[in-house]
Amino acid sequence: MRLIDQHCHSVVHDDLPDPAFASLLTESDRPPADGTSPWDSSLGLAVRRWCPPLLDLDPYPSPGDYLDRRRELGPAESTRRLLRGAGLETCCIDTGLDTAAGAALLSLDGFATASGSAVREVVRLEQIAEQASPGSSAATWAGQVDAALAAAVRDRRAVAVKSVLAYRHGLDITATRPAPAEVANAASEYLSAAERHGSLRLDHPVLLRHLLWTAVDLGLPIQLHTGFGDPDLTLHRADPSLLTDFVRAVEPHGVPLVLLHCYPYHRQAAWLAQSFPHVYCDLGLTLGHTGLGARPVLAETLELAPYGKVLFSTDAFGLPELYVVGVAAFRDAVAAWTAALHATGCPAPDSDRLAALIGADNSRRLYGL
Amino acid sequence: MRLIDQHCHSVVHDDLPDPAFASLLTESDRPPADGTSPWDSSLGLAVRRWCPPLLDLDPYPSPGDYLDRRRELGPAESTRRLLRGAGLETCCIDTGLDTAAGAALLSLDGFATASGSAVREVVRLEQIAEQASPGSSAATWAGQVDAALAAAVRDRRAVAVKSVLAYRHGLDITATRPAPAEVANAASEYLSAAERHGSLRLDHPVLLRHLLWTAVDLGLPIQLHTGFGDPDLTLHRADPSLLTDFVRAVEPHGVPLVLLHCYPYHRQAAWLAQSFPHVYCDLGLTLGHTGLGARPVLAETLELAPYGKVLFSTDAFGLPELYVVGVAAFRDAVAAWTAALHATGCPAPDSDRLAALIGADNSRRLYGL
Amino acid sequence: MRLIDQHCHSVVHDDLPDPAFASLLTESDRPPADGTSPWDSSLGLAVRRWCPPLLDLDPYPSPGDYLDRRRELGPAESTRRLLRGAGLETCCIDTGLDTAAGAALLSLDGFATASGSAVREVVRLEQIAEQASPGSSAATWAGQVDAALAAAVRDRRAVAVKSVLAYRHGLDITATRPAPAEVANAASEYLSAAERHGSLRLDHPVLLRHLLWTAVDLGLPIQLHTGFGDPDLTLHRADPSLLTDFVRAVEPHGVPLVLLHCYPYHRQAAWLAQSFPHVYCDLGLTLGHTGLGARPVLAETLELAPYGKVLFSTDAFGLPELYVVGVAAFRDAVAAWTAALHATGCPAPDSDRLAALIGADNSRRLYGL
């Protein structure tokens, strides 16, 4: 089964100290509680299960033995082996993050060379807006930002844009496009707060909405973080059902909306994908993070989601291990699902075609890859 | 196992063009996204699995071959075979919808003849109210509507009434009975909006509440749509837990409340059915729509729901295939559940009795069938 | 596997009439609907499966035969056999409830003698506050209550405190510590309402918040009821995600927060436990109540929850049977989970260590047992 990873991030190219490595095995950005380790988790076990054979170890070494072997090979060779082991045809990389656990990420070219995968870019709306904000005023902010977004999308040949509204505010926003005066007023508030706090972090709901509507004008598929992530978000405010009015408002424009991750609201996301022609969904980091849960979680998603609307991604970030784990968990879960279909008499060509849709063909069609 | 379908709809009696047939395989009322087909879904596979043998085909023909055979037999014979194959003892038909995919539905008599099932009627509150509204005024609306509801229930020997509050507003309403002056005021708003927009669609929350309380006075079980449905609703506003205050307000009246469908909030519905003596739940269209998910979804419902409070229904609509699929998915899921009970040592007479409760006996008791 | 029950209640020491016994097999405090029995439920079947062998019966006797045998042995002997059969090393008993189904509960000493388990106490915030309120005024309420809480924790050598905010208001509260003037004002409202209604039941959201912050000052782990329970709560307002802002506010204080029960929001609770170092979760009564669902529900929790943050409890109340069922369901679900890990190649020492963490070692570390 060929795989297109429709949403992922680059990986660290230097060796990480043990605690920094472990910190990328959890969505938490806090140190672990006393007496606990991020390795003792579904994701930790999944890394110990799937990755060691790519570094010539048997499955389930101790974390220490695994990290020793990784260092023995060196980060470049380990990264190369792991990414190539993931075997992805194309990676659509969200470039909104530059570092992981304080270490720099591979450039897109570096990632392509290491992985052997084709690489396409996903542009993060809030990042571009923050970079374009200095020097703007209430009156010029929207124009400056819109121009920067259009340029980023064009210059980087982006296949999609990405919104982190779930982190910056929650998905419970007003659906409609904000009027220019409302945007100018909000920009004024944002710029003066930015000066006051020395931070350009964009979390004004009106401006976040403005970015979404600028994205609608650009016409590329819009990927939206939904469901779990790091503690910067509040989970129930990341329920994709909260986006329903926005989904309805965008529908006449025909711009695809891609709900990322979605867990534990993946059944809700699946209903949205069934209900609205322009809505798609993936499970992102969920499959790698949930370990043995990958099978039921994929099955739950495929209860209501049309098979032509579910996409594959790893949402891998920082560690090449997360690519390996995301791919392995997906392949395993899809194999379990198709085996269950076969047991009902479904012919293999049918279930193979459906698996291929989800693994790559839906993304190929949606993003024109 | 005998089955009573406690909530369903009639079916189309004419041959449907292929796209119209496919449009009844999804809850969406929109055309499918480019490059996708409603057949590529859990429900599409379920139809291809369970229905063809009733039309002398092997399971899993292509959609084209299935529709060819269906036309060869003609819609009347296909409908007859499919409905009789479903083998339902009694169908409680919600007559609130007259057409499906633009085609007329069989009359209740026509349905009874085709299916060989006993037929009873469920009266939809909002439909009766809309039909009774013309010619009313703010002062007379409530009286006219209440009289029409009482007459409909009496003349049609209805076994239950049905509310689509979830579609028209969401389940997050004030719980208490609105005062007459509040109703009159709301009726005035509704009637002038109806004239302005040329539509009698009733979505005023005060009037929707009034209908529910009129139904409480009538004393029949009240079926309430909850959970997923077509894109007219917003999913998180259809969480049955939002009805809790209404459930409490109705409790002293002893009128049964039947939560329909419920997915993906079926665990919440099950808790309500455990907590409140007058609350019941079903899974409706969920079992047919979720395919391989029918087993876990039924099992999840039976985690907390008392076995004396879970009802069976198909919520089939438009296509007789949806009766076949709803029944087959339910029988399969119940069989898996009882097999799991047996594996723990539970005697067969026990599990058979429990399955019979859910399949028919609970409805027989609740509706006096 | 040794087990520490980190949240439970005492049990009745007298024989109960049949309906009273049955009433403890459901979270509902209402009589069952006509024609239904609490025995026809996942919990009813679980009691018939796991308990009879401890009273020398085969599994799955009729409820009547089971109760006959129980009476033949007498309540003291039955209780002794059942509690010892549960085999708990330590029970952390919430003493906030004195009776069950109208009958008195065993004292902590009585429970320790009957069970052979070590017993530690969990102090319920609202109960202590209600007992300390008489004789207070708006100005003195907070001081009196805070002193009573400090004394209760000290004198009883409590290992934790417990909040029933979910029952008294819902988890959707303001996160921050209320100012003294706000507390005094709320105390005034509470005390005059208490006098008016002749009830000290504490449900003022400001005072409930005050209790939580007093508990933060005391420094013991705070157990919070979340998820399902009896009909006194509204389920969607018991979603632990609603506590997120409170979780953030407590984080700098380092006081552990233990989310109890959590179902059907256990995946949300698991995310909180992954995200925040001071958050822990258990499944409490869920495993006993969900029967065959215990395996998937535990597995769903272990998707995201770090294995060092999940605790075991039965939340047993009133019937010693609920200890047996809670333990058996947990052991069975853990065994299924570790078997699934083994099937992926995970070595037995690893999975045994993880099971031991959840069964006892995490509680031992958290509560210093």
Side-chain angles (χ1 to χ4, degrees):
Chain A
M1 179 168 44
R2 303 174 79 171
L3 293 179
I4 294 175
D5 191 340
Q6 68 115 21
H7 183 82
C8 48
H9 304 267
S10 190
V11 297
V12 167
H13 58 72
D14 293 326
D15 185 52
L16 291 172
D18 288 6
F21 187 97
S23 78
L24 293 172
L25 295 177
T26 165
E27 279 295 297
S28 185
D29 53 4
R30 275 74 163 169
D34 282 350
T36 74
S37 161
W39 284 96
D40 285 342
S41 66
S42 295
L43 180 56
L45 290 185
V47 167
R48 290 171 60 204
R49 175 185 183 187
W50 302 110
C51 299
L54 294 169
L55 309 188
D56 309 322
L57 295 177
D58 287 332
Y60 288 104
S62 73
D65 287 350
Y66 179 74
L67 294 173
D68 285 349
R69 173 61 182 160
R70 208 182 188 286
R71 292 200 180 100
E72 191 174 72
L73 290 168
E77 173 65 6
S78 296
T79 296
R80 199 191 62 82
R81 286 189 182 202
L82 292 163
L83 290 181
R84 290 187 179 250
L88 291 156
E89 179 181 306
T90 302
C91 292
C92 301
I93 296 187
D94 167 7
T95 49
L97 300 170
D98 300 322
T99 61
L105 301 179
L106 280 175
S107 69
L108 295 190
D109 283 349
F111 185 93
T113 303
S115 65
S117 307
V119 169
R120 298 301 298 269
E121 186 165 356
V122 174
V123 164
R124 190 181 286 211
L125 298 173
E126 294 81 3
Q127 187 205 34
I128 304 295
E130 289 165 356
Q131 291 171 344
S133 292
S136 71
S137 67
T140 64
W141 184 87
Q144 246 173 260
V145 163
D146 292 358
L149 281 168
V153 160
R154 184 188 62 231
D155 298 348
R156 305 179 189 189
R157 300 181 49 247
V159 292
V161 298
K162 154 95 178 277
S163 161
V164 291
L165 173 67
Y167 281 105
R168 299 303 178 85
H169 175 269
L171 302 179
D172 45 335
I173 50 153
T174 305
T176 51
R177 188 192 295 262
E182 194 181 357
V183 174
N185 193 47
S188 164
E189 291 172 8
Y190 164 63
L191 292 168
S192 57
E195 194 172 326
R196 218 159 47 241
H197 304 128
S199 160
L200 283 164
R201 182 184 157 92
L202 183 63
D203 56 10
H204 197 298
V206 171
L207 302 189
L208 295 167
R209 264 165 76 206
H210 173 79
L211 296 184
L212 286 172
W213 283 99
T214 298
V216 170
D217 293 338
L218 291 172
L220 286 182
I222 304 174
Q223 300 183 342
L224 293 122
H225 181 105
T226 73
F228 85 110
D230 73 54
D232 200 20
L233 63 73
T234 297
L235 193 51
H236 65 276
R237 297 184 64 189
D239 177 351
S241 177
L242 296 170
L243 281 173
T244 309
D245 285 340
F246 179 69
V247 167
R248 292 192 179 106
V250 171
E251 190 174 14
H253 300 268
V255 172
L257 300 177
V258 183
L259 308 174
L260 301 175
H261 324 324
C262 305
Y263 179 98
Y265 309 107
H266 44 293
R267 281 169 160 165
Q268 283 86 329
W271 176 78
L272 287 163
Q274 174 176 130
S275 295
F276 298 97
H278 61 309
V279 174
Y280 295 76
C281 63
D282 81 6
L283 284 162
L285 77 168
T286 310
L287 296 182
H289 267 262
T290 56
L292 297 171
R295 292 183 184 190
V297 168
L298 179 68
E300 288 164 6
T301 303
L302 296 176
E303 285 168 354
L304 280 198
Y307 305 149
K309 307 292 279 305
V310 179
L311 308 173
F312 166 68
S313 83
T314 61
D315 195 31
F317 169 61
L319 297 180
E321 278 81 357
L322 302 190
Y323 280 97
V324 174
V325 160
V327 165
F330 179 72
R331 287 187 184 278
D332 177 72
V334 167
W337 180 70
T338 53
L341 287 182
H342 294 164
T344 71
C346 181
D350 266 295
S351 58
D352 289 352
R353 180 179 62 83
L354 299 174
L357 284 178
I358 299 168
D361 294 346
N362 291 334
S363 281
R364 210 185 309 280
R365 171 170 27 86
L366 177 63
Y367 298 112
L369 298 174
Chain B
M1 178 168 48
R2 302 174 79 173
L3 294 179
I4 293 176
D5 190 341
Q6 69 115 20
H7 182 82
C8 48
H9 304 268
S10 189
V11 296
V12 167
H13 58 70
D14 293 327
D15 185 53
L16 291 173
D18 287 7
F21 187 97
S23 78
L24 292 172
L25 295 177
T26 165
E27 279 295 297
S28 185
D29 53 4
R30 274 75 164 169
D34 283 349
T36 73
S37 161
W39 284 96
D40 286 341
S41 65
S42 294
L43 179 56
L45 290 185
V47 167
R48 290 172 59 204
R49 175 186 183 187
W50 301 110
C51 298
L54 294 169
L55 308 188
D56 310 321
L57 295 177
D58 287 333
Y60 288 105
S62 72
D65 286 350
Y66 180 74
L67 294 173
D68 284 349
R69 173 62 183 160
R70 207 182 188 284
R71 292 198 181 104
E72 190 173 75
L73 290 168
E77 172 65 7
S78 296
T79 296
R80 199 189 64 80
R81 287 189 182 201
L82 292 163
L83 290 181
R84 290 190 177 247
L88 291 156
E89 179 180 308
T90 302
C91 292
C92 301
I93 296 187
D94 167 7
T95 48
L97 299 170
D98 300 321
T99 61
L105 301 179
L106 280 176
S107 69
L108 294 191
D109 282 349
F111 186 94
T113 303
S115 65
S117 307
V119 168
R120 298 299 300 269
E121 185 165 355
V122 174
V123 164
R124 190 181 286 210
L125 298 173
E126 294 80 4
Q127 185 204 34
I128 305 294
E130 288 165 357
Q131 292 170 345
S133 291
S136 72
S137 67
T140 65
W141 184 86
Q144 248 174 256
V145 162
D146 292 358
L149 281 169
V153 160
R154 184 189 63 232
D155 298 347
R156 306 179 188 188
R157 301 181 49 245
V159 292
V161 298
K162 154 92 178 279
S163 161
V164 291
L165 173 67
Y167 281 105
R168 298 303 178 83
H169 176 268
L171 301 178
D172 46 335
I173 51 154
T174 305
T176 52
R177 189 192 294 261
E182 194 181 357
V183 174
N185 193 47
S188 165
E189 292 172 7
Y190 164 62
L191 293 168
S192 56
E195 194 173 325
R196 219 159 47 240
H197 302 129
S199 160
L200 283 163
R201 182 182 158 93
L202 183 64
D203 56 10
H204 196 297
V206 172
L207 302 188
L208 295 167
R209 265 166 75 206
H210 173 79
L211 296 184
L212 287 172
W213 282 100
T214 298
V216 170
D217 293 339
L218 291 172
L220 286 181
I222 304 174
Q223 300 182 343
L224 295 121
H225 181 105
T226 73
F228 84 111
D230 72 53
D232 201 21
L233 63 73
T234 297
L235 193 50
H236 64 276
R237 297 184 63 189
D239 177 349
S241 178
L242 296 170
L243 282 173
T244 308
D245 285 339
F246 179 69
V247 167
R248 292 191 180 106
V250 172
E251 190 173 15
H253 300 269
V255 173
L257 301 177
V258 183
L259 308 173
L260 301 175
H261 324 323
C262 305
Y263 179 98
Y265 307 106
H266 44 291
R267 281 169 161 164
Q268 283 86 331
W271 176 79
L272 287 163
Q274 175 174 131
S275 295
F276 297 97
H278 61 310
V279 174
Y280 295 76
C281 64
D282 82 7
L283 284 163
L285 76 169
T286 309
L287 297 183
H289 267 262
T290 54
L292 297 170
R295 290 182 185 191
V297 169
L298 179 68
E300 287 163 7
T301 303
L302 295 176
E303 285 167 355
L304 280 198
Y307 305 150
K309 306 292 278 307
V310 179
L311 308 173
F312 166 68
S313 83
T314 61
D315 194 31
F317 168 61
L319 298 180
E321 278 81 357
L322 302 190
Y323 279 97
V324 174
V325 160
V327 165
F330 178 72
R331 286 187 184 279
D332 177 71
V334 168
W337 180 69
T338 55
L341 287 181
H342 293 163
T344 72
C346 181
D350 266 294
S351 58
D352 289 352
R353 182 180 62 82
L354 299 174
L357 284 178
I358 299 168
D361 294 346
N362 291 333
S363 282
R364 210 186 307 282
R365 171 170 27 85
L366 178 63
Y367 299 113
L369 298 174
Chain C
M1 178 170 46
R2 302 174 79 170
L3 294 180
I4 293 176
D5 190 341
Q6 68 115 20
H7 182 83
C8 47
H9 304 268
S10 190
V11 297
V12 168
H13 57 72
D14 293 326
D15 185 52
L16 291 173
D18 288 7
F21 187 97
S23 77
L24 293 172
L25 295 176
T26 164
E27 279 294 296
S28 186
D29 53 3
R30 275 75 164 169
D34 282 350
T36 74
S37 161
W39 284 96
D40 286 341
S41 66
S42 294
L43 180 56
L45 290 185
V47 167
R48 290 171 60 204
R49 174 186 184 186
W50 302 110
C51 298
L54 294 168
L55 308 188
D56 310 323
L57 295 177
D58 287 332
Y60 289 105
S62 73
D65 287 350
Y66 180 74
L67 294 173
D68 283 350
R69 173 61 182 161
R70 207 183 189 285
R71 292 201 181 100
E72 191 173 74
L73 290 168
E77 172 65 7
S78 297
T79 296
R80 199 191 63 80
R81 286 190 183 200
L82 292 163
L83 291 181
R84 290 189 178 249
L88 291 156
E89 179 180 308
T90 302
C91 292
C92 301
I93 296 187
D94 167 8
T95 49
L97 300 169
D98 300 321
T99 61
L105 300 179
L106 281 175
S107 69
L108 295 189
D109 283 350
F111 186 94
T113 304
S115 65
S117 306
V119 169
R120 298 301 300 270
E121 186 164 355
V122 175
V123 165
R124 192 182 285 211
L125 298 173
E126 294 81 3
Q127 187 205 33
I128 304 294
E130 289 165 357
Q131 291 170 344
S133 292
S136 71
S137 66
T140 65
W141 184 87
Q144 249 175 256
V145 163
D146 292 358
L149 280 168
V153 160
R154 183 188 63 232
D155 298 348
R156 306 178 187 188
R157 301 181 48 246
V159 292
V161 297
K162 154 94 178 279
S163 161
V164 291
L165 173 68
Y167 281 105
R168 299 303 178 85
H169 176 268
L171 302 179
D172 45 335
I173 52 155
T174 305
T176 52
R177 188 191 294 260
E182 194 182 358
V183 174
N185 193 48
S188 165
E189 291 172 5
Y190 163 63
L191 293 168
S192 56
E195 195 172 325
R196 220 160 46 240
H197 304 128
S199 161
L200 283 163
R201 182 182 158 93
L202 184 63
D203 56 9
H204 196 299
V206 172
L207 302 188
L208 295 167
R209 264 165 74 206
H210 173 80
L211 296 184
L212 286 172
W213 283 100
T214 298
V216 169
D217 292 340
L218 291 172
L220 286 182
I222 304 174
Q223 300 182 343
L224 295 121
H225 181 105
T226 73
F228 85 111
D230 71 55
D232 201 20
L233 63 74
T234 296
L235 193 50
H236 65 276
R237 297 184 62 189
D239 178 349
S241 177
L242 295 170
L243 281 174
T244 308
D245 285 339
F246 179 70
V247 166
R248 291 192 180 105
V250 172
E251 191 174 15
H253 301 267
V255 173
L257 302 177
V258 183
L259 307 174
L260 301 175
H261 324 323
C262 305
Y263 178 98
Y265 308 106
H266 45 291
R267 282 170 161 164
Q268 283 86 329
W271 176 79
L272 288 163
Q274 175 175 130
S275 295
F276 297 97
H278 61 310
V279 174
Y280 295 77
C281 64
D282 81 7
L283 283 162
L285 77 169
T286 308
L287 296 183
H289 267 262
T290 55
L292 297 171
R295 290 183 186 190
V297 169
L298 179 68
E300 287 163 6
T301 304
L302 296 177
E303 285 167 355
L304 280 199
Y307 305 150
K309 306 292 279 305
V310 179
L311 308 173
F312 167 69
S313 83
T314 62
D315 194 33
F317 168 62
L319 297 180
E321 278 81 356
L322 302 191
Y323 279 97
V324 174
V325 160
V327 165
F330 178 72
R331 287 189 185 277
D332 177 72
V334 167
W337 180 70
T338 54
L341 287 181
H342 293 164
T344 72
C346 182
D350 265 295
S351 58
D352 289 352
R353 181 180 62 83
L354 299 174
L357 284 178
I358 298 169
D361 293 346
N362 291 333
S363 281
R364 211 186 307 282
R365 170 170 28 84
L366 178 62
Y367 299 113
L369 298 174

